[in-house]
Amino acid sequence: MKTPSPEIRQALDKRLLETLPGLGLCAADVAWPNAAFEPKTDRLYLRPTCMFGTTEVPGLGPEGVERLRGIYQVDVFGLLDTGMSETEEIARGLVDAFRGGTRLPCCGHEMRISKAYPGTARKDNGRLHIPVSVVWSCDTHK
């Protein structure tokens, strides 16, 4: 079986898309990888990135399993000089949407979210930036 990298990314992106309306956002507020994007000067936006870690082999033999792990990082870029509450609220909403214990279907397997947490807020390219990291794993048969 091929490593289901695109399917994992799609499952995480789908969860993000499902979460957007509850955050008061839409797909146009997301800087998707390898897609043209021009941020609006009066709105915050998100930038998701799926980072793959090393593959582990917790089970051997013909029914062996490969465990894929990684981090889905969603960067929240808020407006400067408007306070932090809106940007922090979006980051908190993302943590809730991807909270530990969440299970997502993925190409006949189940992806597990072990934890989600916000990083430290900082100024970045004229925006207030809060990264939200989502730690995931997915077992696939070899």
Side-chain angles (χ1 to χ4, degrees):
M1 171 181 201
K2 292 183 180 178
T3 302
S5 302
E7 293 88 350
I8 288 170
R9 185 179 292 106
Q10 289 169 357
L12 292 162
D13 287 348
K14 181 180 180 212
R15 179 66 170 204
L16 178 59
L17 276 170
E18 294 167 349
T19 303
L20 293 176
L23 301 174
L25 300 172
C26 64
D29 295 317
V30 180
W32 298 104
N34 199 29
F37 181 78
E38 186 66 38
K40 296 178 182 168
T41 58
D42 62 341
R43 287 183 62 85
L44 63 73
Y45 71 95
L46 309 177
R47 183 183 65 201
T49 305
C50 191
M51 299 174 278
F52 293 86
T54 58
T55 301
E56 299 172 2
V57 183
L60 300 174
E63 297 300 315
V65 171
E66 290 182 328
R67 179 164 296 144
L68 307 167
R69 293 180 185 267
I71 295 175
Y72 186 66
Q73 183 168 307
V74 182
D75 295 302
V76 182
F77 292 98
L79 303 175
L80 283 180
D81 304 323
T82 60
M84 292 184 56
S85 62
E86 181 184 25
T87 308
E88 287 177 322
E89 185 177 321
I90 298 296
R92 184 180 63 230
L94 291 168
V95 168
D96 288 345
F98 289 96
R99 85 171 12 110
T102 300
R103 296 179 184 275
L104 303 174
C106 177
C107 60
H109 303 284
E110 190 173 69
M111 184 183 328
R112 293 171 304 284
I113 306 298
S114 59
K115 61 183 167 182
Y117 57 93
T120 303
R122 61 185 168 91
K123 289 182 182 179
D124 185 6
N125 291 330
R127 296 279 185 152
L128 176 63
H129 173 215
I130 300 177
V132 174
S133 298
V134 177
V135 181
W136 58 266
S137 65
C138 183
D139 291 346
T140 63
H141 295 287
K142 299 193 293 181

